[in-house]
Amino acid sequence: MQVRLAEHFGMCFGVRDAIDLALDLTERGSLTILGDLVHNPDVVATLDEAGAVRVQRQDDIRTPAVLLTAHGVADRVRLELRQRGLAVHDATCPLVTRAHRALARLVAEGRHPVVVGQPHHVEVRGLVGDFDDCTIVQDEMDLDSLAQRIGDEPDLRLGIVAQTTQPLERVQGLVEIMRRRFPDTDIQFVDTVCQPTKDRQQALRDLADQTDLVIVVGGPDSNNSRKLVELARSLGCPAYLVASSKELRDEWFANCDLVGLTAGTSTPNEIVEEVRRWLESH
Ligand code: SF4
């Protein structure tokens, strides 16, 4: 079986820099990571071995130093942690910060903030966390409440950004639906889908076109990895998500001559290589 690697795949600079910072900080003293720095189980194990404590809630931080992940947090959270006297290390990806700034600018222009993304995703919670009044749009059904709002406030102007890892077509599609559904509303959209995500998605489209099946390497909780699987399937190409070669199944490849290989943004290259070796040996 032949294997074709996606032109862009694997760990993005934002996640890689966050891991490097975490490992560097653990050498200097005890450290708590607030939230999931990365979804890959092997990388998580490395961080655990290095002594990093992982917690999901601010109240559970027991070390004098805390690291914020690449997904970012609301300014309010950063301030609260500093007011507690904690040394706050910030691994927020600059492209997430760019999305925060874009939304803040739209709100400063007097627009109602709208984020296209998953309501419970940590990045989206960070994006909306500094605004009392914000709408999150995950799909078309979420537009009903916005329609009601615009009915009550016809002068409402919308300022829209997106979660950085959303598929671009999906975001553009939802913005287009909003423009059609609210033709009299002043809508400003800032495309905040990050370039590494766009590159991966385009590379996956090419791969789905050229291969019989696509394997995406990524942790089961990795949103961007799952999105790559969904995108390949939506293009009519069978696709599977695996965390490592142990999860590959012989039967998937029964009628497969050429398999495409890609990976989510938190997958180390060594694991992609390990999967590649497994595929090439079959
Ligand atoms: S996926 Fe994009 S926004 Fe998120 S950490 Fe990577 S580069 Fe930054």
Side-chain angles (χ1 to χ4, degrees):
M1 188 163 58
Q2 279 193 312
V3 179
R4 181 161 299 165
L5 263 181
E7 197 177 334
H8 298 277
F9 69 93
M11 195 170 279
C12 63
F13 74 93
V15 173
R16 197 177 51 232
D17 290 354
I19 295 169
D20 288 348
L21 180 59
L23 292 173
D24 185 42
L25 289 168
T26 51
E27 283 178 13
R28 291 194 247 152
S30 55
L31 177 76
T32 299
I33 299 171
L34 181 60
D36 295 321
L37 188 77
V38 60
H39 294 291
N40 184 275
D42 292 346
V43 182
V44 170
T46 305
L47 291 166
D48 288 350
E49 277 164 31
V53 181
R54 290 179 289 118
V55 302
Q56 297 297 329
R57 293 165 1 110
Q58 293 172 58
D59 292 346
D60 296 331
I61 300 169
R62 301 280 178 268
T63 58
V66 61
L67 177 67
L68 308 176
T69 71
H71 300 108
V73 295
D75 287 345
R76 182 182 49 76
V77 171
R78 205 176 272 108
L79 189 67
E80 278 167 18
L81 294 171
R82 289 203 176 112
Q83 282 172 343
R84 275 174 60 182
L86 294 166
V88 180
H89 301 280
D90 198 345
T92 304
C93 175
L95 301 184
V96 173
T97 303
R98 180 177 159 263
H100 277 257
R101 292 205 179 118
L103 192 58
R105 269 197 301 273
L106 291 167
V107 171
E109 287 171 13
R111 296 176 183 276
H112 172 68
V114 177
V115 177
V116 177
Q118 295 166 293
H120 301 296
H121 191 279
V122 60
E123 182 192 317
V124 175
R125 290 207 310 270
L127 275 168
V128 303
D130 285 319
F131 305 104
D132 294 334
D133 186 16
C134 192
T135 301
I136 300 171
V137 175
Q138 185 170 22
D139 53 41
E140 224 177 311
M141 285 190 312
D142 294 324
L143 299 183
D144 292 346
S145 64
L146 210 48
Q148 199 169 353
R149 178 82 185 258
I150 289 169
D152 293 341
E153 298 171 57
D155 293 336
L156 196 74
R157 298 156 69 222
L158 303 182
I160 308 172
V161 300
Q163 183 181 341
T164 55
T165 50
Q166 284 287 301
L168 183 60
E169 287 85 4
R170 189 181 148 68
V171 175
Q172 288 173 329
L174 280 166
V175 172
E176 202 39 53
I177 291 169
M178 283 187 246
R179 289 196 200 282
R180 280 205 306 269
R181 190 157 168 190
F182 314 126
D184 300 326
T185 301
D186 177 346
I187 295 177
Q188 177 84 40
F189 164 57
V190 181
D191 172 11
T192 53
V193 175
C194 75
Q195 194 60 42
T197 293
K198 287 175 181 164
D199 291 343
R200 262 168 204 74
Q201 288 169 359
Q202 185 52 48
L204 180 75
R205 270 182 219 104
D206 298 342
L207 210 57
D209 257 5
Q210 298 158 1
T211 60
D212 302 315
L213 179 147
V214 167
I215 295 295
V216 179
V217 190
D221 299 325
S222 164
N223 172 56
N224 70 84
S225 301
R226 283 200 307 264
K227 290 278 178 246
L228 290 174
V229 172
E230 283 170 24
L231 179 58
R233 289 179 181 162
S234 74
L235 296 166
C237 182
Y240 297 98
L241 176 65
V242 297
S244 72
S245 64
K246 294 189 193 82
E247 295 179 8
L248 293 163
R249 299 279 164 270
D250 284 325
E251 58 269 26
W252 295 345
F253 308 101
N255 298 312
C256 184
D257 295 323
L258 183 58
V259 60
L261 181 59
T262 186
T265 51
S266 60
T267 309
N269 285 352
E270 307 86 73
I271 300 178
V272 181
E273 269 310 307
E274 182 234 319
V275 171
R276 179 186 183 146
R277 282 196 296 276
W278 188 101
L279 293 168
E280 283 177 342
S281 68
H282 277 64

